Coordinates of all heavy atoms in Angstrom, one line a residue:
M1 N 0.8 -1.1 0.0 CA 0.0 0.0 0.0 C 0.9 1.3 0.0 O 1.8 1.4 0.8 CB -0.9 0.0 1.3 CG -1.9 1.1 1.4 SD -2.9 0.8 2.7 CE -4.0 2.1 2.5
R2 N 0.6 2.1 -1.0 CA 1.4 3.4 -1.0 C 0.9 4.4 -0.1 O -0.3 4.6 0.0 CB 1.3 3.9 -2.5 CG 2.2 5.1 -2.7 CD 2.1 5.4 -4.2 NE 0.8 6.0 -4.6 CZ 0.6 7.3 -4.7 NH1 1.6 8.1 -4.4 NH2 -0.6 7.9 -5.1
M3 N 1.7 4.9 0.7 CA 1.4 6.0 1.7 C 1.8 7.4 1.1 O 2.8 7.4 0.3 CB 2.0 5.8 3.0 CG 1.6 4.5 3.7 SD -0.1 4.4 4.0 CE -0.2 5.4 5.4
G4 N 1.2 8.5 1.5 CA 1.5 9.7 0.9 C 0.3 10.6 0.6 O -0.8 10.2 0.9
T5 N 0.4 11.6 -0.2 CA -0.6 12.4 -0.5 C -0.6 12.7 -2.1 O 0.6 12.7 -2.6 CB -0.6 13.8 0.2 OG1 0.6 14.4 0.0 CG2 -0.7 13.5 1.7
D6 N -1.7 13.0 -2.6 CA -1.8 13.4 -3.9 C -2.6 14.6 -4.0 O -3.3 15.0 -2.9 CB -2.6 12.4 -4.8 CG -1.6 11.2 -5.0 OD1 -0.5 11.4 -5.4 OD2 -2.1 10.0 -4.7
V7 N -2.7 15.4 -5.1 CA -3.4 16.6 -5.1 C -4.7 16.4 -6.0 O -4.7 15.7 -7.1 CB -2.6 17.7 -5.8 CG1 -3.4 19.0 -6.1 CG2 -1.4 18.0 -4.9
L8 N -5.8 16.8 -5.6 CA -7.0 16.8 -6.3 C -7.5 18.2 -6.5 O -7.8 18.8 -5.5 CB -8.1 16.0 -5.6 CG -9.5 16.0 -6.3 CD1 -9.5 15.3 -7.6 CD2 -10.5 15.2 -5.4
S9 N -7.7 18.8 -7.8 CA -8.1 20.0 -8.0 C -9.6 20.0 -8.4 O -9.9 19.1 -9.2 CB -7.3 20.7 -9.0 OG -7.7 22.0 -9.3
L10 N -10.4 20.8 -7.8 CA -11.9 20.8 -8.1 C -12.2 22.2 -8.6 O -11.8 23.3 -8.0 CB -12.6 20.5 -6.9 CG -12.5 19.1 -6.3 CD1 -13.3 18.9 -5.0 CD2 -12.9 18.1 -7.3
R11 N -13.2 22.3 -9.4 CA -13.8 23.6 -9.9 C -15.2 23.4 -9.4 O -15.9 22.5 -9.9 CB -13.7 23.7 -11.4 CG -14.4 25.0 -11.9 CD -14.4 25.1 -13.4 NE -13.0 24.9 -13.9 CZ -12.1 25.8 -14.4 NH1 -12.5 27.1 -14.3 NH2 -11.0 25.5 -14.8
I12 N -15.6 24.4 -8.4 CA -16.9 24.3 -7.9 C -17.6 25.6 -7.9 O -16.9 26.6 -8.0 CB -16.8 23.7 -6.4 CG1 -16.1 24.6 -5.4 CG2 -16.4 22.2 -6.3 CD1 -16.2 24.2 -4.0
D13 N -18.9 25.6 -7.9 CA -19.7 26.8 -7.9 C -19.3 27.6 -6.7 O -19.1 27.2 -5.6 CB -21.1 26.3 -7.8 CG -22.1 27.5 -7.8 OD1 -22.5 27.9 -8.9 OD2 -22.6 27.8 -6.6
H14 N -19.3 29.0 -6.8 CA -19.0 29.9 -5.7 C -20.0 29.7 -4.6 O -19.5 29.7 -3.3 CB -19.2 31.3 -6.3 CG -19.1 32.4 -5.3 ND1 -17.8 32.7 -4.7 CD2 -20.0 33.1 -4.4 CE1 -17.9 33.6 -3.7 NE2 -19.2 33.9 -3.6
D15 N -21.3 29.6 -4.7 CA -22.2 29.4 -3.6 C -21.8 28.1 -2.9 O -22.0 28.0 -1.6 CB -23.6 29.3 -4.2 CG -24.1 30.6 -4.7 OD1 -23.5 31.6 -4.4 OD2 -25.0 30.6 -5.5
L16 N -21.5 27.0 -3.6 CA -21.2 25.7 -2.8 C -20.0 26.0 -2.1 O -19.9 25.5 -0.8 CB -20.9 24.6 -3.9 CG -20.3 23.3 -3.3 CD1 -21.3 22.7 -2.1 CD2 -20.2 22.3 -4.4
L17 N -18.9 26.7 -2.5 CA -17.8 27.0 -1.8 C -18.1 27.8 -0.6 O -17.5 27.5 0.5 CB -16.6 27.7 -2.7 CG -15.4 28.0 -2.0 CD1 -14.7 26.8 -1.4 CD2 -14.5 28.8 -2.9
E18 N -18.9 28.8 -0.7 CA -19.3 29.6 0.6 C -20.0 28.7 1.6 O -19.7 28.8 2.7 CB -20.2 30.7 0.1 CG -19.4 31.7 -0.6 CD -18.2 32.4 0.1 OE1 -18.4 32.6 1.3 OE2 -17.2 32.4 -0.5
R19 N -20.8 27.7 1.1 CA -21.5 26.9 2.1 C -20.4 25.9 2.8 O -20.5 25.7 4.0 CB -22.6 26.0 1.4 CG -23.8 26.8 1.0 CD -25.1 26.0 0.8 NE -24.8 24.8 -0.1 CZ -25.0 24.8 -1.4 NH1 -25.2 25.9 -2.0 NH2 -24.8 23.6 -2.1
L20 N -19.4 25.4 2.0 CA -18.4 24.6 2.6 C -17.6 25.5 3.6 O -17.2 24.9 4.6 CB -17.5 24.1 1.4 CG -18.1 23.0 0.6 CD1 -17.2 22.7 -0.6 CD2 -18.3 21.7 1.3
R21 N -17.3 26.6 3.2 CA -16.5 27.5 4.2 C -17.3 27.7 5.5 O -16.8 27.6 6.6 CB -16.3 28.9 3.6 CG -15.2 28.8 2.5 CD -14.9 30.2 2.0 NE -13.8 30.2 1.1 CZ -13.7 30.8 0.0 NH1 -14.7 31.7 -0.4 NH2 -12.6 30.8 -0.8
E22 N -18.6 27.8 5.4 CA -19.4 28.1 6.6 C -19.5 26.7 7.5 O -19.3 26.8 8.6 CB -20.8 28.4 6.2 CG -21.0 29.8 5.6 CD -22.4 30.0 5.1 OE1 -23.4 29.3 5.5 OE2 -22.6 31.0 4.4
H23 N -19.6 25.7 6.8 CA -19.8 24.4 7.5 C -18.3 24.1 8.2 O -18.3 23.6 9.4 CB -20.0 23.2 6.6 CG -21.4 23.2 6.1 ND1 -22.5 22.9 7.0 CD2 -22.1 23.4 4.9 CE1 -23.7 22.9 6.3 NE2 -23.4 23.2 5.1
A24 N -17.3 24.3 7.4 CA -15.9 24.1 7.9 C -15.7 25.1 9.1 O -15.1 24.7 10.2 CB -14.9 24.3 6.9
A25 N -16.1 26.4 9.0 CA -15.8 27.3 10.1 C -16.5 26.9 11.4 O -15.9 27.1 12.4 CB -16.2 28.6 9.6
K26 N -17.7 26.4 11.2 CA -18.5 26.0 12.5 C -17.7 24.9 13.2 O -17.9 24.8 14.4 CB -19.9 25.4 12.0 CG -20.8 26.5 11.6 CD -22.1 25.9 11.1 CE -23.0 27.0 10.7 NZ -24.3 26.4 10.0
R27 N -17.0 24.1 12.5 CA -16.2 23.1 13.2 C -14.7 23.4 13.4 O -13.9 22.6 13.7 CB -16.2 21.8 12.3 CG -17.7 21.2 12.2 CD -17.9 20.4 11.0 NE -19.3 19.8 10.9 CZ -20.3 20.5 10.6 NH1 -20.2 21.7 10.2 NH2 -21.6 19.9 10.6
G28 N -14.4 24.6 13.1 CA -13.0 25.1 13.3 C -12.0 24.4 12.3 O -10.8 24.2 12.7
M29 N -12.5 24.2 11.1 CA -11.6 23.4 10.2 C -11.4 24.2 9.0 O -12.2 25.1 8.7 CB -12.2 22.1 9.7 CG -12.7 21.1 10.9 SD -13.7 19.8 10.4 CE -12.6 18.8 9.5
S30 N -10.3 23.9 8.2 CA -10.2 24.5 6.9 C -11.2 23.8 5.9 O -11.7 22.6 6.2 CB -8.8 24.2 6.3 OG -8.6 22.9 6.1
V31 N -11.5 24.3 4.8 CA -12.4 23.8 3.8 C -11.8 22.5 3.4 O -12.5 21.5 3.3 CB -12.6 24.8 2.5 CG1 -13.3 24.1 1.5 CG2 -13.3 25.9 3.1
Q32 N -10.4 22.5 3.1 CA -9.8 21.2 2.6 C -10.0 20.0 3.6 O -10.3 18.9 3.3 CB -8.3 21.4 2.4 CG -7.6 20.1 2.1 CD -6.1 20.4 1.8 OE1 -5.7 21.5 1.6 NE2 -5.3 19.4 1.9
D33 N -9.8 20.3 4.9 CA -9.9 19.3 6.0 C -11.4 18.8 6.1 O -11.7 17.6 6.2 CB -9.5 19.8 7.3 CG -7.9 19.9 7.4 OD1 -7.2 19.2 6.6 OD2 -7.5 20.5 8.3
Y34 N -12.3 19.9 5.9 CA -13.7 19.4 6.0 C -14.1 18.6 4.9 O -14.8 17.5 5.1 CB -14.6 20.8 6.0 CG -16.0 20.5 6.0 CD1 -16.7 20.1 7.2 CD2 -16.8 20.6 4.9 CE1 -18.1 19.9 7.1 CE2 -18.1 20.3 4.8 CZ -18.8 20.0 6.0 OH -20.1 19.7 6.0
V35 N -13.7 18.9 3.7 CA -14.0 18.1 2.5 C -13.5 16.6 2.6 O -14.1 15.7 2.4 CB -13.6 18.8 1.2 CG1 -13.7 17.8 0.0 CG2 -14.5 20.0 1.0
V36 N -12.2 16.6 3.0 CA -11.6 15.3 3.2 C -12.3 14.5 4.2 O -12.5 13.3 4.0 CB -10.1 15.5 3.4 CG1 -9.4 14.1 3.9 CG2 -9.3 16.0 2.3
R37 N -12.6 15.0 5.3 CA -13.2 14.3 6.4 C -14.6 13.9 6.0 O -15.0 12.7 6.2 CB -13.4 15.2 7.7 CG -14.2 14.5 8.8 CD -14.3 15.3 10.0 NE -13.0 14.9 10.8 CZ -12.7 15.4 11.9 NH1 -13.5 16.4 12.4 NH2 -11.7 15.1 12.6
T38 N -15.3 14.8 5.1 CA -16.6 14.4 4.6 C -16.6 13.2 3.8 O -17.4 12.2 3.8 CB -17.4 15.6 4.1 OG1 -17.4 16.6 4.9 CG2 -18.7 15.2 3.4
L39 N -15.6 13.2 2.9 CA -15.4 12.1 1.9 C -15.1 10.8 2.6 O -15.5 9.7 2.3 CB -14.4 12.5 0.9 CG -14.7 13.5 -0.1 CD1 -13.4 13.9 -0.9 CD2 -15.8 13.0 -1.1
M40 N -14.2 10.9 3.7 CA -13.7 9.7 4.4 C -14.9 9.1 5.2 O -15.1 7.9 5.2 CB -12.6 10.1 5.4 CG -11.4 10.4 4.7 SD -10.1 11.0 5.8 CE -9.9 9.7 6.9
R41 N -15.8 10.0 5.7 CA -17.0 9.5 6.4 C -17.9 8.9 5.5 O -18.5 7.8 5.7 CB -17.6 10.6 7.1 CG -18.9 10.2 8.0 CD -19.6 11.4 8.6 NE -20.1 12.2 7.7 CZ -20.0 13.6 7.7 NH1 -19.2 14.2 8.5 NH2 -20.5 14.3 6.7
D42 N -18.1 9.5 4.3 CA -19.0 8.9 3.2 C -18.5 7.5 2.8 O -19.2 6.6 2.7 CB -19.2 9.8 2.1 CG -20.1 9.3 1.1 OD1 -21.4 9.1 1.5 OD2 -19.9 9.0 -0.1
D43 N -17.2 7.4 2.6 CA -16.6 6.2 2.2 C -16.7 5.1 3.3 O -17.1 3.9 3.0 CB -15.1 6.3 1.9 CG -14.4 5.1 1.5 OD1 -14.9 4.5 0.5 OD2 -13.4 4.6 2.2
F44 N -16.6 5.5 4.6 CA -16.8 4.5 5.6 C -18.3 4.0 5.7 O -18.6 2.8 5.8 CB -16.4 5.1 7.0 CG -16.8 4.3 8.2 CD1 -16.0 3.1 8.5 CD2 -18.0 4.6 8.8 CE1 -16.4 2.4 9.6 CE2 -18.4 3.7 9.9 CZ -17.7 2.6 10.3
D45 N -19.2 5.0 5.5 CA -20.7 4.7 5.5 C -21.0 3.7 4.5 O -21.7 2.8 4.7 CB -21.4 6.0 5.4 CG -21.4 6.9 6.6 OD1 -20.9 6.5 7.7 OD2 -21.9 8.1 6.5
Q46 N -20.4 3.9 3.3 CA -20.7 3.0 2.1 C -20.2 1.6 2.5 O -20.8 0.6 2.2 CB -20.1 3.6 0.9 CG -20.9 4.7 0.3 CD -20.3 5.3 -0.8 OE1 -19.5 4.6 -1.6 NE2 -20.6 6.5 -1.2
R47 N -18.9 1.5 3.0 CA -18.3 0.2 3.2 C -19.0 -0.4 4.4 O -19.2 -1.6 4.4 CB -16.8 0.3 3.5 CG -16.0 0.8 2.4 CD -14.5 0.9 2.7 NE -14.3 2.0 3.5 CZ -13.5 2.2 4.6 NH1 -13.0 1.2 5.1 NH2 -13.3 3.3 5.2
F48 N -19.5 0.3 5.4 CA -20.3 -0.3 6.6 C -21.6 -0.8 6.0 O -22.0 -2.0 6.4 CB -20.5 0.8 7.6 CG -21.2 0.3 8.8 CD1 -20.6 -0.5 9.7 CD2 -22.5 0.5 8.9 CE1 -21.2 -1.1 10.8 CE2 -23.2 0.0 10.0 CZ -22.6 -0.8 11.0
Q49 N -22.3 -0.1 5.1 CA -23.6 -0.4 4.6 C -23.4 -1.8 3.8 O -24.2 -2.7 4.0 CB -24.2 0.6 3.9 CG -25.6 0.2 3.4 CD -26.6 -0.1 4.4 OE1 -26.6 0.6 5.4 NE2 -27.5 -1.2 4.2
T50 N -22.3 -1.9 3.0 CA -22.1 -3.0 2.4 C -21.8 -4.2 3.2 O -22.2 -5.4 3.0 CB -20.8 -2.9 1.3 OG1 -21.2 -1.8 0.5 CG2 -20.5 -4.1 0.6
A51 N -21.1 -4.1 4.3 CA -20.7 -5.1 5.2 C -22.1 -5.7 5.9 O -22.3 -6.8 6.1 CB -19.8 -4.7 6.3
V52 N -22.9 -4.6 6.2 CA -24.2 -5.1 6.8 C -25.1 -5.9 5.8 O -25.6 -6.9 6.2 CB -25.0 -3.7 7.3 CG1 -26.5 -4.2 7.6 CG2 -24.3 -3.1 8.4
E53 N -25.1 -5.4 4.6 CA -25.9 -6.1 3.6 C -25.4 -7.6 3.3 O -26.0 -8.5 3.3 CB -26.0 -5.3 2.2 CG -26.8 -4.1 2.3 CD -26.5 -3.1 1.2 OE1 -25.8 -3.5 0.3 OE2 -27.3 -2.1 1.2
E54 N -24.0 -7.6 3.3 CA -23.4 -9.0 3.1 C -23.6 -9.8 4.2 O -23.9 -11.0 4.1 CB -21.9 -8.9 2.9 CG -21.6 -8.2 1.6 CD -20.1 -7.9 1.3 OE1 -19.3 -8.3 2.4 OE2 -19.7 -7.4 0.3
T55 N -23.6 -9.4 5.5 CA -24.0 -10.1 6.7 C -25.3 -10.6 6.7 O -25.6 -11.8 7.0 CB -23.6 -9.3 7.9 OG1 -22.3 -8.9 7.9 CG2 -24.0 -10.1 9.2
E56 N -26.3 -9.7 6.3 CA -27.7 -10.1 6.1 C -27.9 -11.2 5.1 O -28.6 -12.1 5.3 CB -28.6 -8.9 5.8 CG -28.6 -7.9 7.1 CD -29.4 -6.7 6.7 OE1 -29.7 -6.3 5.6 OE2 -29.8 -5.9 7.7
R57 N -27.2 -11.1 4.0 CA -27.4 -12.2 3.0 C -26.8 -13.5 3.5 O -27.4 -14.5 3.3 CB -26.6 -11.7 1.7 CG -27.4 -10.8 0.9 CD -26.9 -10.7 -0.6 NE -25.5 -10.1 -0.6 CZ -25.2 -8.9 -0.6 NH1 -26.2 -7.9 -0.7 NH2 -23.9 -8.4 -0.7
F58 N -25.7 -13.4 4.3 CA -25.1 -14.7 4.7 C -26.0 -15.4 5.8 O -26.2 -16.6 5.7 CB -23.8 -14.3 5.5 CG -23.1 -15.4 6.1 CD1 -22.4 -16.3 5.2 CD2 -23.1 -15.7 7.4 CE1 -21.7 -17.4 5.8 CE2 -22.5 -16.8 8.0 CZ -21.8 -17.7 7.2
Y59 N -26.7 -14.6 6.6 CA -27.6 -15.1 7.6 C -28.9 -15.3 7.1 O -29.8 -15.7 7.9 CB -27.5 -14.3 8.9 CG -26.3 -14.6 9.7 CD1 -25.3 -13.6 9.6 CD2 -26.0 -15.6 10.3 CE1 -24.1 -13.8 10.4 CE2 -24.8 -15.9 11.0 CZ -23.8 -14.9 11.1 OH -22.6 -15.1 11.7
G60 N -29.3 -14.8 5.9 CA -30.6 -14.9 5.3 C -31.6 -14.0 6.0 O -32.8 -14.3 5.9
V61 N -31.1 -12.9 6.4 CA -32.1 -11.9 7.0 C -32.6 -11.0 5.9 O -31.9 -10.7 4.9 CB -31.3 -10.9 8.0 CG1 -32.2 -9.8 8.4 CG2 -30.7 -11.8 9.1
T62 N -33.9 -10.7 5.9 CA -34.6 -9.9 4.8 C -35.0 -8.6 5.4 O -35.4 -8.6 6.5 CB -35.7 -10.7 4.1 OG1 -36.6 -11.2 5.1 CG2 -35.1 -11.8 3.4

């Protein structure tokens, strides 16, 4: 597994950027940290949901 960082550049709407700034500021975070944390949380949520669904299929839960 490769460790390190890469750069992702995004072009986003001004209104969206302002909303991101507001959300980040409420949490005392930079916009970059807020976006990364949100993406990581979403990724975890998706992986967790997949694990739950696979467990339910394994045990035959509907």
Side-chain angles (χ1 to χ4, degrees):
M1 182 174 185
R2 184 173 76 96
M3 299 300 282
T5 61
D6 291 309
V7 175
L8 172 65
S9 177
L10 299 171
R11 184 179 307 258
I12 61 174
D13 178 84
H14 174 76
D15 292 336
L16 174 58
L17 179 57
E18 288 305 311
R19 289 198 316 268
L20 289 171
R21 283 183 178 139
E22 290 175 13
H23 288 292
K26 287 178 186 175
R27 291 160 180 79
M29 303 170 73
S30 69
V31 171
Q32 178 180 334
D33 289 342
Y34 176 78
V35 170
V36 169
R37 177 176 270 178
T38 300
L39 290 171
M40 290 171 60
R41 184 181 66 229
D42 185 59
D43 180 59
F44 172 81
D45 291 347
Q46 289 177 20
R47 288 182 289 134
F48 181 76
Q49 183 60 39
T50 299
V52 168
E53 290 168 358
E54 289 174 3
T55 301
E56 289 175 345
R57 277 194 299 275
F58 179 80
Y59 287 105
V61 176
T62 55

